[in-house]
Amino acid sequence: MQLFDTHCHIDLEEFDQDRGQILTAAREQGVSDIVVPGVLQNRWFHLLEICESYNGLHPAVGLHPMYLSEHNKTHLELLESVLAENTVVAIGEVGLDFYVNDVDKQGQFKLLDAQLAIAKTADLPVILHCRKAYDDLIKLLTQHQLKGGIAHAFNGSQQQAGKLIDLGFKLGFGGMLTYERSTKLRRLAQQLPLANIVLETDSPFMTVSQHQGERNSPVYLPYVLQALSEIRPESMEHIAHQTYQNSLEVFCI
Ligand SMILES: [Zn+2]
């Protein structure tokens, strides 16, 4: 079985001590491809270097909404020059995060709007992060007519899922699916067409229930596959194959 982790922050310092071992162990579990999304301008070059050092790592670059206060206008210009000089598979992760109080919504809109315009010009897919802002996100995406991408760690409604799919996006499911209490999310993952689903770990965050409290890693991606196969009619092999193909398609690999 060949698996694709479409969202894994393997560049973070949490993996500095054992990155090579983790990637080898993940490969032994069948995880042959991993997309590493960028969140901060000052981490992009480190991320690109890491992706060049190991097989099967695919870089993405973007400015994450949670770090809004750390981004500035020159970072957007740098984003364009990074795209001109490097091969990346997507813009991301970018998006809207209205989860915490006192967020600068206007600032997040402006940052996302600018990055979606860059994605459009570069003809790249987008990796989206979204919390408590799906309707606003969908509105903005509708204006941009992008080539699609992934709504990572999707946790919106069935209706919002449908709209994102219509806009060319696939929905990313990860560790949350392994928790029995995730009833709404599981129902959604059960009902969506398999062609619109991709797997992810979001390592080192969002650990699977089997390793709750530990650092998450791409080695645990098979647990997400297993959770999905328990709630869907298809076999585990079929889900692995289809989600892998979906991932290649969305990132044009
Ligand atoms: Zn992430």
Side-chain angles (χ1 to χ4, degrees):
M1 261 189 315
Q2 200 174 13
L3 299 174
F4 201 127
D5 187 349
T6 59
H7 199 108
C8 172
H9 298 282
I10 198 76
D11 60 308
L12 296 187
E13 61 182 12
E14 279 90 338
F15 294 106
D16 280 353
Q17 301 305 317
D18 60 355
R19 186 171 291 113
Q21 285 140 270
I22 288 287
L23 290 171
T24 303
R27 192 164 278 275
E28 282 165 6
Q29 292 292 317
V31 183
S32 61
D33 293 85
I34 294 173
V35 164
V36 190
V39 297
L40 277 165
Q41 182 273 326
N42 63 16
R43 302 280 304 182
W44 290 343
F45 293 99
H46 175 65
L47 184 156
L48 289 166
E49 243 176 59
I50 285 173
C51 287
E52 263 188 29
S53 312
Y54 300 95
N55 284 332
L57 297 188
H58 311 281
V61 282
L63 301 168
H64 196 293
M66 289 245 292
Y67 307 102
L68 185 66
S69 62
E70 291 176 59
H71 308 316
N72 65 50
K73 228 178 154 188
T74 59
H75 295 170
L76 288 168
E77 288 157 21
L78 269 164
L79 180 59
E80 290 182 294
S81 66
V82 164
L83 295 181
E85 289 157 21
N86 300 272
T87 304
V88 306
V89 294
I91 296 290
E93 69 183 278
V94 300
L96 299 173
D97 194 323
F98 297 167
Y99 188 73
V100 288
N101 292 328
D102 297 325
V103 287
D104 176 3
K105 291 188 180 180
Q106 271 325 102
Q108 287 195 20
F109 273 123
K110 272 178 76 177
L111 179 70
L112 177 60
D113 191 46
Q115 291 185 99
L116 294 181
I118 291 171
K120 174 84 183 166
T121 307
D123 197 29
L124 282 169
V126 175
I127 301 167
L128 297 169
H129 166 103
C130 183
R131 288 199 298 180
K132 296 204 180 261
Y134 280 105
D135 289 335
D136 289 307
L137 179 69
I138 288 163
K139 211 183 284 174
L140 199 56
L141 290 171
T142 306
Q143 293 166 14
H144 280 275
Q145 301 286 325
L146 301 160
K147 73 184 296 174
I150 293 176
H152 128 77
F154 183 75
N155 66 348
S157 68
Q158 184 125 30
Q159 198 194 13
Q160 289 161 337
K163 285 185 182 165
L164 285 164
I165 289 168
D166 288 345
L167 287 162
F169 283 80
K170 308 223 183 276
L171 308 180
F173 291 94
M176 283 310 291
L177 217 52
T178 62
Y179 291 87
E180 259 175 59
R181 64 168 187 270
S182 305
T183 48
K184 192 182 146 215
L185 190 72
R186 283 180 165 203
R187 202 175 314 127
L188 188 74
Q190 184 179 42
Q191 289 166 357
L192 286 174
L194 191 58
N196 304 117
I197 293 176
V198 293
L199 306 179
E200 63 169 62
T201 60
D202 200 14
S203 310
F205 316 110
M206 309 277 278
T207 316
V208 295
S209 63
Q210 293 84 348
H211 292 273
Q212 204 172 355
E214 294 173 31
R215 174 189 67 173
N216 197 7
S217 99
V219 180
Y220 301 154
L221 191 63
Y223 288 111
V224 180
L225 170 68
Q226 191 193 333
L228 200 55
S229 77
E230 279 166 10
I231 54 176
R232 292 193 62 99
E234 303 94 346
S235 70
M236 205 186 275
E237 288 74 18
H238 183 70
I239 295 174
H241 175 76
Q242 186 64 51
T243 54
Y244 186 82
Q245 294 302 320
N246 294 345
S247 312
L248 294 182
E249 184 200 317
V250 77
F251 291 119
C252 303
I253 294 172

